[in-house]
Amino acid sequence: MSMRGGGGRGRVSARDTEAQKAANAGAPKVEHLLRRIGELFKPHRRALSVTIVLVLISAGMSVLPPLLTREAFDIGLFPKSGIPDVPVLMLLVGAMVALWIASAGLGVWQTYLTATVGNTVMGRLRTRLFGHLQAMELAFFTKTKTGIIQSRLQNDVGGVADVLSNTISSVIGNTVTVIAAFVSMLVLSWQLTIVAVILLPVLLIAQRRVGQVRARIATKTQESLSDMTSITQEALSVSGILLAKSFNQQKAEIARYEAENQTQIRLQVRQQMSGQWFFAVVGIFLSVIPAIIYLVAAWLITHDVAVTAGTIVAFTTVQARLTFPLLGLLRVVLDLQTSQALFSRIFEYLDLHPAITDKPTATPVDPGQLGRVEFDQVVFRYPDAGPDTPATLKSMTFDIEPGQYAAFVGPSGAGKTTVSYLVPRFHDVSGGRVLFAGSDVRDLQQDSLVHNIGIVSQETYLFHATIAENLRYAKPDATDAELEAAARAANIHATIASFPDGYDTLVGERGYRLSGGEKQRIAIARVLLKDPAVLILDEATSALDSVSERIVQAALDTASRGRTTIAIAHRLSTVINADVIFVVDGGRIVERGTHDELVALEEGVYAKLFHEQSRAMAG
Ligand code: ADP
């Protein structure tokens, strides 16, 4: 994203500066952009070639009717004999009708081809962008607003799709008409053609100016749309609504939305008007031309240039027919200039490189050492944290044997969740190594690594789908019996079975229709179906009341049997039986051992925490 001399042009808004930069940098990159857009169309070369052939045929065909018009006048209607020649006239009219029918048919075929190509290209671009975003590392999503990402996919690709599918058919159709009209005009009278086209360069210059203005407005419009999507997405989610309602902030939310909406309205009006003024002026320009042609024709006739009545009628007919296609082409150029800003925004996302990818030499997880997890002097700093902030993890070393139950405890903000993110390689370490089954996670295939890890976190995410579909997310080909077995093990089968729709019960947005404990047990059943070698529990029970906690904890105990478990715990009561407890504080492991060993350390952090919590429970 380098941008030379960017400082001088345009005021960069603080909101979506990247898009602004792309738009400012847009001008010198047009050719590059066009080449990339062209590449998108490469797979459709055949359809496009057919279209071009159709265009040429149509073009050839539409040169003829104006010439026939002249003949109809000069030979059919007003022949030298003075009496209309009906048979000739019938022939000419018949030919004209046949030509128009044929070219209308070709037009339909062309539109079908171009609409198919345009929409397919855009559809694929959308999928590519979505796929690319799936590959982006977790950090990209933690530092980008969800609404802004959604807006690129929906508003930007959508905007381009509209332009493109209209553009192809309009460019082709109008080019045909313009070329054909121009040729007919030349054949009819080159002198009058000069009069008709002399004003065109003026239009082109005006169009360029308007195009630039519109592209600028379009960038601002997309930024504002993106902000609106992000506000909507934040405010209208279940959590957002709950927050607004509980703090009585609905009015403030509406005001925030309204402010952005006003910007949007202003921009939309400006965008539409900037084009409309231009087209109004151009329209007047083009309609005045016939009048000028009559005058010039009179002048030509008085200067002994032969111009027949038929020629003048045919010429002005053609010229009038030229107006709309010409306006259409100008509009297309404008639209393309506008969509250039959108394309820049789309390509900008496609050009992002995922920070975490497989090495070419990456291997699958070694089944021999499955279940072993080690940290070797791991240092980690969040990518979006400033360089001056201390590292979140400072030289952390530990070793968890296959099948062990390891608990991580310590104050909030100590770095426990961060540890759980580094095992499945959601982030890459800043120093040291994370080893999974004996290999550095950076040398493993991500698919294989993640396949062997199951995560149950405090905030369970369930899709708005049936319980069965949510469970099969872990194993698409799981049988009903497998679903039930997993649900039984997770202590949730009886609850599901009591619902009228059983496993086909729809889960509300983010599972809000289920209680926290039920959701959590469904999440555990989901992980059991995945059957991973390593299970990560990130404060899986800390959001629950004590009754639900006991039920969920029982399910978790079943789930962790026979596999390595990394449990991040808030309540120490859940870790008493752990094989090993790591006490984390300030990004370091400050104590390690079993519950009994750690309680025995008189001045120990763990002992203090344990006594505090026991007192709280007793009191
Ligand atoms: P714990 O799970 O022990 O409560 P975390 O691992 O969640 O602690 O967080 C450790 C530290 O890292 C905290 O100070 C937190 O503010 C910081 N942190 C967490 N996530 C991010 C992030 N995405 N970017 C920057 N800092 C983060």
Side-chain angles (χ1 to χ4, degrees), residues 254-332:
I254 295 171
R256 196 155 77 103
Y257 189 75
E258 174 61 13
E260 201 53 59
N261 204 9
Q262 285 300 337
T263 312
Q264 186 59 229
I265 294 171
R266 246 188 345 266
L267 286 169
Q268 293 284 3
V269 171
R270 267 179 70 191
Q271 174 141 0
Q272 283 172 26
M273 288 320 290
S274 66
Q276 228 38 60
W277 277 112
F278 172 69
F279 287 115
V281 172
V282 171
I284 295 170
F285 241 39
L286 291 175
S287 13
V288 167
I289 293 178
I292 300 175
I293 285 170
Y294 296 142
L295 295 177
V296 176
W299 186 86
L300 284 173
I301 293 166
T302 53
H303 286 78
D304 287 339
V305 180
V307 184
T308 64
T311 303
I312 296 174
V313 172
F315 194 92
T316 45
T317 312
V318 178
Q319 190 272 330
R321 204 176 287 142
L322 190 66
T323 309
F324 285 105
L326 209 56
L327 283 178
L329 277 182
L330 289 178
R331 194 178 283 270
V332 162

Side-chain angles (χ1 to χ4, degrees), residues 206-235:
Q207 174 266 331
R208 226 187 124 69
R209 271 300 302 149
V210 176
Q212 286 162 351
V213 172
R214 272 170 64 106
R216 243 194 329 270
I217 301 175
T219 312
K220 286 203 192 121
T221 309
Q222 292 309 109
E223 279 168 25
S224 153
L225 261 185
S226 150
D227 286 346
M228 269 178 81
T229 311
S230 141
I231 293 175
T232 317
Q233 201 259 337
E234 270 176 27

Side-chain angles (χ1 to χ4, degrees), residues 362-375:
T363 56
V365 172
D366 170 15
Q369 299 196 53
L370 210 50
R372 179 180 299 282
V373 176
E374 296 155 84
F375 271 42

Side-chain angles (χ1 to χ4, degrees), residues 75-79 81 83-90:
I75 305 173
L77 279 168
F78 308 110
S81 64
I83 304 156
D85 187 342
V86 178
V88 168
L89 205 53
M90 293 282 273

Side-chain angles (χ1 to χ4, degrees), residues 138-139 141-143 380-386 389-393 408-421 427 538-539 568 570 584-587:
L138 184 63
F141 296 93
T142 58
K143 65 187 178 204
F380 179 72
R381 179 174 278 116
Y382 274 99
D384 41 337
T389 46
T392 297
L393 301 188
F408 286 79
V409 301
S412 168
K416 305 180 297 291
T417 299
T418 307
V419 167
S420 77
Y421 283 162
H427 300 289
D538 185 2
E539 309 220 19
I568 294 164
H570 187 66
V584 185
D585 196 1

